[in-house]
């Protein structure tokens, strides 16, 4: 089967026929959101192009995601048929499809799925060690549990928003320099560059999802910026973990790349130096994803975190979060935790890049940063190897820091 598309500019782009990420868009002249796939510099209006597929009629991915892997594959095949080169695409058919292509620059993107439950992990060993040194100096970098289970917490699904949503600087309680609690705008607003996994098919209460059932449930991948107020977080997080320092906003990319686009990107996770219990034992499995993130602040690339290096894989995270019998719902989002590699230019948060504010780093305009200033714009992008030598793009998750009305 050919992997080239008749859509101008699609072949060789990050949104080639090998990718076909799903999103929800609206046209400038209409407020009605609709489901689409990106192809080259365009988005294909799916309900208009494939009116017989009922799951594509809603302005959200949830109905398609709920339908399960066999349906996902069938729908992807139908979309591929519309967009790939002949044989099978006569000029007349092409012109039919062309009327349902809209330039990406002319549409507005929306949250691609209704977020059910949101879980955030802490699965980069490099990040966890860096944060351990910063937050708990003199103590072991990793907690006693860290190599035995993927540490995580339940977040706030209602504040997961699409890329472009303004980042209103949160107010909260933190310690003043003389050690007294005070309330005010965060002074240590940070990012966390993460990879998000979107659950499609649900699971019943009381049944764990083993490692090898991962693909029966997970639909695709998006990018996540888990905005974090470090001063609020440091004061509130003991003993129950992140709370208001994280829940003011979590941004996701507008595109969900289906797992079907990522077959060429799976690889072997890093060696495990501590044996794990049977339900987490992924010996011989290739569940790590060879994806590389790129973080820019006001246009300056500050980091390129490598995702293949994550100690815990998404399959282990899903197995763990259901190991107690917790059910999955369509639209559940679980995020990887900050992705950091071993090198300083691979750190996925500013608290690491600035060594907790002690060594500010430069931007292209000559200014220095430790944490985010009002007006700063952060963008995270990513790529992964795709089929036939292609490169899979994930779009971007971006946000600009603004002063809140309570300031
Ligand atoms: Mn996080």
């Amino acid at each position: 089967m050919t992997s080239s598309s008749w859509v101008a500019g699609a072949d060789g782009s990050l949104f080639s026929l090998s990718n076909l990420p799903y999103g929800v868009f609206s046209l400038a002249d209409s407020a009605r959101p609709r489901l689409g796939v990106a192809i080259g510099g365009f988005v294909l209006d799916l309900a208009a192009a494939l009116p017989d597929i009922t799951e594509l009629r809603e302005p959200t991915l949830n109905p398609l995601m709920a339908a399960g892997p066999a349906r996902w594959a069938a729908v992807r095949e139908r979309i591929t048929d519309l967009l790939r080169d002949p044989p099978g695409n006569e000029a007349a058919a092409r012109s039919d499809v062309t009327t349902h292509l809209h330039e990406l620059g002319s549409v507005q993107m929306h949250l691609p799925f209704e977020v059910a439950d949101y879980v955030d992990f802490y699965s980069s060993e490099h990040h966890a060690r860096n944060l351990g040194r910063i937050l708990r100096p003199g103590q072991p970098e990793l907690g006693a549990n860290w190599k035995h289970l993927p540490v995580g917490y339940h977040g706030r699904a209602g504040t997961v928003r699409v890329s472009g949503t303004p980042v209103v600087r949160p107010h909260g309680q933190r310690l003043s320099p003389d050690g007294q609690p005070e309330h005010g705008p965060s002074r240590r607003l940070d990012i966390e560059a993460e990879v998000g996994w979107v659950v499609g098919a649900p699971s019943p209460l009381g049944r764990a999802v083993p490692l090898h059932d991962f693909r029966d449930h997970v639909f695709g991948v998006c990018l996540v910026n888990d905005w974090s107020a470090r001063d609020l977080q440091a004061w509130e997080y003991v003993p129950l973990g992140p709370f208001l320092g994280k829940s003011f906003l979590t941004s996701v990319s507008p595109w969900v790349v289906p797992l079907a686009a990522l077959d060429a990107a799976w690889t072997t996770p890093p060696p495990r130096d501590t044996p794990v219990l049977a339900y987490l034992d992924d010996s011989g499995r290739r569940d790590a994803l060879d994806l590389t993130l790129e973080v820019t602040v006001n246009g300056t690339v500050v980091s390129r975190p490598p995702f293949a290096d994550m100690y815990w894989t998404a399959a282990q995270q899903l197995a763990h979060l259901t190991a107690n019998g917790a059910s999955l719902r369509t639209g559940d989002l679980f995020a990887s935790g900050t992705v950091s590699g071993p090198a300083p230019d691979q750190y996925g948060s500013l608290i690491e890049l600035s060594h907790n504010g002690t060594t500010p780093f430069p931007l292209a305009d000559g200014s220095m940063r430790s944490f985010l200033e009002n007006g700063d714009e952060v963008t995270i992008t990513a790529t992964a190897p795709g089929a036939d030598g292609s490169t899979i793009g994930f779009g971007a998750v971006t946000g600009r820091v603004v002063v809140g009305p309570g300031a």
Side-chain angles (χ1 to χ4, degrees), residues 118 120-122 127 153 192 194 226 228 246 335-338:
Y118 167 48
D120 193 26
F121 284 95
Y122 190 60
H127 175 72
Y153 67 95
E192 294 194 336
E194 305 197 16
D226 179 26
S228 298
K246 302 275 194 175
S336 59
T338 308

Side-chain angles (χ1 to χ4, degrees), residues 298 300 362-369 376:
N298 298 344
T300 301
L363 301 181
D365 66 0
S367 64
M368 304 296 287
R369 284 297 179 284
D376 282 353

Side-chain angles (χ1 to χ4, degrees), residues 79-310:
I79 298 167
T80 303
D81 279 345
L82 287 183
L83 297 172
R84 76 171 154 229
D85 269 340
N89 271 299
E90 302 305 325
R94 284 194 195 187
S95 72
D96 270 2
V97 175
T98 299
T99 63
H100 304 308
L101 289 173
H102 306 278
E103 289 185 24
L104 282 173
S106 72
V107 305
Q108 177 172 358
M109 300 305 299
H110 302 269
L111 192 65
F113 58 99
E114 291 173 18
V115 182
D117 292 299
Y118 167 48
V119 167
D120 193 26
F121 284 95
Y122 190 60
S123 289
S124 161
E125 180 171 356
H126 306 293
H127 175 72
R129 288 189 182 280
N130 287 338
L131 268 283
R133 278 193 293 270
I134 290 169
L135 298 177
R136 292 177 297 279
Q139 298 178 42
E141 292 169 0
L142 301 179
N145 58 4
W146 201 91
K147 293 228 164 168
H148 294 280
L149 55 83
V151 169
Y153 67 95
H154 281 89
R156 191 166 188 85
T159 52
V160 177
R161 301 299 170 92
V162 73
S163 172
T165 301
V167 185
V168 178
R169 182 179 294 274
H171 287 220
Q173 193 177 134
R174 55 210 180 2
L175 286 187
S176 68
D178 60 358
Q180 294 303 308
E182 59 181 20
H183 192 270
S186 172
R187 298 186 181 115
R188 297 161 74 83
L189 183 58
D190 198 354
I191 65 161
E192 294 194 336
E194 305 197 16
V195 173
W197 302 81
V198 187
V199 171
S203 70
L205 192 67
R207 198 185 77 196
V209 175
L211 289 174
H212 56 78
D213 283 354
F214 179 79
R215 288 169 192 237
D216 292 342
H217 294 277
V218 173
F219 176 80
V221 176
C222 63
L223 304 180
V224 176
N225 191 340
D226 179 26
W227 306 96
S228 298
R230 300 300 181 192
D231 40 359
L232 279 54
Q233 183 182 356
W235 174 227
E236 74 179 0
Y237 88 109
V238 178
L240 291 183
F243 194 34
L244 304 187
K246 302 275 194 175
S247 63
F248 56 95
L249 179 67
T250 306
S251 299
V252 296
S253 56
W255 300 107
V256 178
V257 173
L259 291 195
L262 297 172
D263 286 346
W266 299 105
T267 186
T268 306
R272 282 71 161 80
D273 47 27
T274 303
V276 294
L277 297 174
Y279 77 99
L280 292 170
D281 185 356
D282 66 350
S283 304
R285 295 182 58 88
R286 290 166 53 85
D287 290 337
L289 195 65
D290 181 16
L291 176 157
T292 303
L293 298 161
E294 184 174 277
V295 182
T296 65
V297 177
N298 298 344
T300 301
V301 176
V302 298
S303 179
R304 290 190 174 91
F307 188 65
D309 218 26
M310 298 293 276

